[in-house]
Amino acid sequence: PLSNIVDGFQAIANAEGPISIRIAKSLILDAWGTRRGKKIDERLDSAIHRGQQQRAFVVNGNFLWPLGMKIAPLRVHMAGQRARPMQDIAPEEMEVAARECIKGAVTIAYQDLLREICRLFGHKATAENMLWVEKIVRSMLDQEELRMEGDKVSQGGISTFPAERADAT
């Protein structure tokens, strides 16, 4: 039943959120010992839609979030673990990583910040990974959450997290 699939997505969001929908779907398929196909994918999409309507979890972009979570946890890569693909790390989690990197250094060279964020998530600073992270950092600069002077990045004038700003509007 669709309600069982919704419950599965809710449990995954609560335990692992924010989690990419792609990974959440894979976990559901693994749990039920089935493989992806057009009809199954449609069923999973229906369950995600219903779960969002029933407020079992929140869908933000391509990620499932548990209800009530406003700030993404920073889940850094641990030795021996498989690194999550960059596209499966919520942008909000990368923002938390950027804040942590700057907090520890007060200011940091722009390229060093990008490399450090990649490293935190267990990735090498390849051109592809750097572009993925740069998109997030540029957004933070545009929103004045970060400030850039020369090639150095520091904390910006806005101290609230994106979820808190969204709630205020």
Side-chain angles (χ1 to χ4, degrees), residues 62-63 86-87 89-91 94-95 98 110 114 117-118 127-143 146:
N62 294 321
F63 294 87
M86 292 299 271
Q87 68 269 21
I89 301 169
M94 286 193 202
E95 290 175 0
Y110 182 76
L114 301 180
I117 293 170
C118 287
E128 182 180 350
N129 290 339
M130 295 278 277
L131 285 173
W132 194 263
V133 172
E134 185 172 31
K135 183 173 111 176
I136 303 301
V137 172
R138 285 279 173 204
S139 174
M140 294 176 77
L141 287 164
D142 291 346
Q143 295 174 22
L146 300 178

Side-chain angles (χ1 to χ4, degrees), residues 2-169:
L2 198 60
S3 62
N4 288 353
I5 302 171
V6 171
D7 290 346
F9 278 125
Q10 182 178 27
I12 290 167
N14 288 340
E16 302 289 333
I19 184 168
S20 75
I21 290 173
R22 186 184 72 78
I23 290 178
K25 284 180 176 181
S26 291
L27 292 171
I28 293 287
L29 295 174
D30 289 347
W32 278 303
T34 191
R35 292 198 316 227
R36 185 171 246 138
K38 184 177 182 198
K39 289 197 180 263
I40 290 176
D41 215 37
E42 288 172 356
R43 190 80 169 150
L44 295 175
D45 289 339
S46 293
I48 290 170
H49 181 72
R50 179 174 291 173
Q52 185 177 17
Q53 286 180 323
Q54 294 175 346
R55 298 192 46 79
F57 46 80
V58 174
V59 176
N60 183 7
N62 294 321
F63 294 87
L64 299 180
W65 286 67
L67 289 179
M69 180 180 278
K70 299 208 184 270
I71 300 171
L74 177 57
R75 296 171 292 194
V76 297
H77 178 260
M78 303 298 276
Q81 288 182 337
R82 191 171 147 235
R84 291 177 288 162
M86 292 299 271
Q87 68 269 21
D88 290 326
I89 301 169
E92 295 84 355
E93 187 173 355
M94 286 193 202
E95 290 175 0
V96 171
R99 287 184 195 97
E100 285 299 311
C101 290
I102 291 171
K103 184 169 77 174
V106 182
T107 65
I108 187 170
Y110 182 76
Q111 291 297 317
D112 290 343
L113 175 60
L114 301 180
R115 279 190 286 277
E116 182 62 15
I117 293 170
C118 287
R119 188 194 65 75
L120 282 174
F121 294 114
H123 291 278
K124 293 183 179 181
T126 63
E128 182 180 350
N129 290 339
M130 295 278 277
L131 285 173
W132 194 263
V133 172
E134 185 172 31
K135 183 173 111 176
I136 303 301
V137 172
R138 285 279 173 204
S139 174
M140 294 176 77
L141 287 164
D142 291 346
Q143 295 174 22
E144 298 180 0
E145 293 175 53
L146 300 178
R147 179 176 47 234
M148 192 154 157
E149 295 176 22
D151 74 331
K152 300 287 186 189
V153 181
S154 61
Q155 290 184 0
I158 299 174
S159 61
T160 60
F161 289 89
E164 292 170 346
R165 287 198 313 274
D167 290 347
T169 57

